Amino acid sequence: MKPPEIFALGSPTVGWACGCSRRGASHRSGSQPCQDAFALWSGAIRGGPRLVAAVADGHGDARHDLSDVGAALAVQVAVSELCSFHVGHADPPDAQMRRDFKSDCPRIISRRWREAVRSDASERCPTVIAPSSAPQELATELADESPLFRRYGTTLLTALLTPETLCVAQLGDGDIVWLRPDGECERPFPVELAIGTETDSLCSPNAQVCWKTATLDRRAGGLLLLTTDGLPNSFADDTAFDQFVGSLRQRIHDHGFGGVADALPAWLDHYSDQGSGDDMTLVIIEVPPIDEHSNPPGEQ
Amino acid sequence: MAGAVTPAIPVPEGTVARKSLQFFWLTDCSGSMSGKKIATLNQAIREALPEIRNAVGGHPEVQVSMRAICFADDAKWHVGPKAVPIEQFVWPELAVAGGTATSQAIRLLTGELNAEQMPRRGLPPVCILISDGYCTDPASEYDAAIAELLKQPWGLKAVRLAIGISDGDSSYDEEQLLKFVSHPEIGVLHADTPQKLVQYIRWASVNASVGASLGKSKVGGGEAGGANVELPAPPSIEPTLGTATDVW
């Protein structure tokens, strides 16, 4: 059964999230699949509400012919690992969790993604990575794994929310934007010059050191966006994209979170048709302010 | 609720734009380009324009904007510095006189490829240099201009191709032009007949535009290797004997 394109979930203390992936205009005309993916999870870990989000953009180039699968694996792995990671950090304050998020998550997610790729490849074509009996041949096999990972190449953006903490991480292109209540758009990872075709990737040999991580001050609440680069690339410049983000918050205010979630497929198609032509994925998380009286924040 | 009709919510604000591809011609209009060379160049670029439009028409998500720098004793804008959408671009007739200030042309290009002038997001620019002679600026100045160009991220990632025009009496400095080229496997396209100049201008402009338009993500940091944009091999052009247009 085809999975639904829109999800909306969350809780009053952590926030509400929805997401949508759409095949880009250029992919529709070329009969290519959507190579983006996203995953959301909301629930309780040791009694505390949590929300996890992940967005991935498969590279799409001919050398990355399984990148749609790579993107799907990446978001599954990220959500799974961030939930597991948080099991060990469920008691506030979250200072230790933030440190561990920075030091451990990139390494663990990168490793798990490679394991998932090996597993997928072995199901598709067991001879591709059939284990070798001879040690010297095994060494050759491992050295030759980069072409396999390259076929699944993808970016990955993640967010982990607790009632006290908001951690984000990014590998490769795409945007994470935090719209504060004062209307200012904060980019935890300022976008470097984006010249067309190159990005860091989970398939990079040094993927674990290409990650960027940050903790955002969520005390006053805000709107968090995770998006593949197809959407920001459809705007004239960052100012125009910031205008989109501010306008999006107004749409949520006017029409409700559910109304905006329902509108996302048509909006993303519009931006792809009129703009970059790329696949597009947008995850929106509306983060409520912390109630200082009932739930004191941890160290920020 | 299943089957419920959601009232249309207006699309959020923000100016939408297609991906930007900046195209630069750098054309030699020194005295040695007089006669058939400049006439062929003028005509060849005019004939290439509709072909570029048709080729990038398959990529409606891309907006190609074009400019042209000409150089003789100095370098100046032939069309520009404001970029013109390819749909409205017209090639004005080039006149010839003077030396070959190639390095000044490259510096003029570099000034437009710096981060302040270019959009922060976009496709690799396309730069096509056409010359028939040795740069008359000092050699150190030419090398410095190339170094400055390659210091700019947009300059480094640009598709940079060069067409060298030669005849029996004079030629270009291949080693010099090669320093400009982004694709060493293609090298300098050697146009020793009008027919080759026409075909190389068409091939370079169309294929560089299409290649840069693809904009497929690939892994950075040297993982992918090779040039920023993949190009096919240039055409092998057989001479057409017995016509009035096969020699300069």
Side-chain angles (χ1 to χ4, degrees):
Chain A
M1 188 177 75
K2 188 179 177 185
E5 290 172 321
I6 309 166
F7 297 87
L9 47 75
S11 73
T13 51
V14 174
W16 300 101
C18 67
C20 179
S21 273
R22 298 294 286 180
R23 188 158 67 130
S26 60
H27 284 201
R28 291 198 297 274
S29 63
S31 302
Q32 292 170 284
C34 177
Q35 288 147 341
D36 280 5
F38 77 95
L40 297 170
W41 181 89
S42 175
I45 295 175
R46 290 172 58 183
R50 308 289 182 250
L51 199 156
V52 175
V55 164
D57 181 355
H59 298 329
D61 184 90
R63 281 168 296 196
H64 310 290
D65 61 321
L66 293 170
S67 65
D68 55 330
V69 180
L73 293 174
V75 297
Q76 289 170 20
V77 163
V79 168
S80 170
E81 288 306 313
L82 287 174
C83 289
S84 301
F85 163 79
H86 199 260
V87 168
H89 299 83
D91 298 321
D94 290 347
Q96 183 61 41
M97 186 193 84
R98 288 192 286 272
R99 284 193 291 273
D100 291 349
F101 180 84
K102 180 176 182 178
S103 62
D104 295 347
C105 279
R107 181 174 47 81
I108 294 170
I109 291 174
S110 300
R111 190 174 70 224
R112 293 280 185 249
W113 180 79
R114 286 172 184 249
E115 290 170 1
V117 166
R118 286 191 194 102
S119 173
D120 183 83
S122 69
E123 289 175 17
R124 285 173 193 277
C125 180
T127 56
V128 171
I129 58 161
S132 167
S133 54
Q136 63 272 30
E137 290 177 19
L138 179 61
T140 305
E141 200 78 43
L142 291 172
D144 289 339
E145 277 191 311
S146 58
L148 172 67
F149 296 136
R150 189 181 299 133
R151 295 182 67 188
Y152 290 76
T154 182
T155 66
L156 181 60
L157 291 72
T158 66
L160 168 63
L161 281 97
T162 76
E164 301 83 28
T165 300
L166 168 50
C167 296
V168 291
Q170 178 168 346
L171 175 66
D173 58 25
D175 276 31
I176 295 179
V177 181
W178 175 233
L179 177 62
R180 297 199 296 241
D182 62 5
E184 184 162 342
C185 282
E186 179 183 343
R187 287 179 169 78
F189 315 118
V191 181
E192 298 149 11
L193 207 57
I195 304 179
T197 56
E198 289 196 352
T199 179
D200 290 327
S201 169
L202 274 171
C203 74
S204 302
N206 58 344
Q208 68 279 6
V209 299
C210 297
W211 281 90
K212 293 173 278 191
T213 62
T215 302
L216 302 174
D217 182 354
R218 60 144 297 178
R219 285 174 293 186
L223 194 67
L224 180 71
L225 269 56
L226 280 70
T227 175
T228 54
D229 68 340
L231 181 61
N233 283 352
S234 295
F235 290 87
D237 49 33
D238 279 351
T239 305
F241 187 53
D242 288 354
Q243 195 179 3
F244 161 82
V245 176
S247 180
L248 184 64
R249 181 168 64 180
Q250 189 61 43
R251 296 287 186 276
I252 293 171
H253 178 266
D254 294 344
H255 302 279
F257 203 74
V260 166
D262 288 344
L264 279 183
W267 287 354
L268 296 188
D269 287 348
H270 164 80
Y271 290 121
S272 188
D273 289 340
Q274 304 297 316
S276 69
D278 287 346
D279 294 339
M280 293 195 179
T281 296
L282 176 62
V283 162
I284 306 169
I285 305 174
E286 189 177 34
V287 182
I290 293 175
D291 183 342
E292 301 280 355
H293 300 292
S294 65
N295 196 4
E299 178 195 343
Q300 290 292 328
Chain B
M1 182 192 304
V5 177
T6 306
I9 304 175
V11 173
E13 295 161 14
T15 305
V16 178
R18 293 187 277 164
K19 290 182 185 173
S20 168
L21 194 163
Q22 302 289 321
F23 189 118
F24 296 85
W25 296 102
L26 289 83
T27 52
D28 185 343
C29 58
S30 60
S32 59
M33 284 286 290
S34 64
K36 196 181 268 186
K37 287 180 189 171
I38 199 68
T40 305
L41 183 148
N42 280 323
Q43 188 60 22
I45 290 180
R46 287 195 185 107
E47 289 177 0
L49 293 175
E51 299 206 28
I52 300 169
R53 287 184 198 116
N54 285 341
V56 297
H59 301 276
E61 71 280 10
V62 176
Q63 174 63 60
V64 179
S65 299
M66 198 170 265
R67 281 173 268 189
I69 294 167
C70 60
F71 55 98
D73 284 337
D74 54 15
K76 61 184 179 185
W77 288 104
H78 185 51
V79 180
K82 188 178 177 195
V84 179
I86 180 99
E87 297 80 9
Q88 289 139 37
F89 188 87
V90 176
W91 181 259
E93 194 82 0
L94 259 180
V96 297
T100 309
T102 319
S103 60
Q104 293 183 47
I106 292 169
R107 284 200 181 277
L108 199 54
L109 171 69
T110 303
E112 292 302 310
L113 292 181
N114 68 41
E116 287 73 36
Q117 300 287 339
M118 293 290 285
R120 197 177 48 75
R121 305 170 192 262
L123 296 167
V126 171
C127 312
I128 297 182
L129 171 61
I130 307 168
S131 179
D132 78 331
Y134 283 61
C135 176
T136 50
D137 301 323
S140 59
E141 170 55 19
Y142 184 88
D143 289 343
I146 292 287
E148 282 297 315
L149 173 66
L150 301 184
K151 245 193 250 175
Q152 299 291 339
W154 288 101
L156 184 64
K157 295 294 183 184
V159 181
R160 290 169 275 109
L161 298 176
I163 300 172
I165 304 172
S166 71
D167 55 29
D169 300 326
S170 65
S171 187
Y172 54 89
D173 186 336
E174 181 165 9
E175 189 183 339
Q176 222 169 39
L177 291 186
L178 202 52
K179 292 175 182 173
F180 178 83
V181 171
S182 58
H183 290 61
E185 76 281 7
I186 291 173
V188 177
L189 299 165
H190 179 63
D192 57 0
T193 66
Q195 179 198 12
K196 285 186 181 178
L197 179 59
V198 169
Q199 294 206 27
Y200 283 143
I201 284 176
R202 180 188 302 144
W203 177 86
S205 57
V206 169
N207 285 285
S209 299
V210 170
S213 294
L214 289 175
K216 299 287 187 188
S217 292
K218 65 182 183 184
V219 181
E223 159 70 4
N228 190 35
V229 172
E230 289 179 14
L231 297 177
S236 171
I237 302 167
E238 297 299 324
T240 307
L241 298 176
T243 71
T245 58
D246 62 359
V247 292
W248 290 119

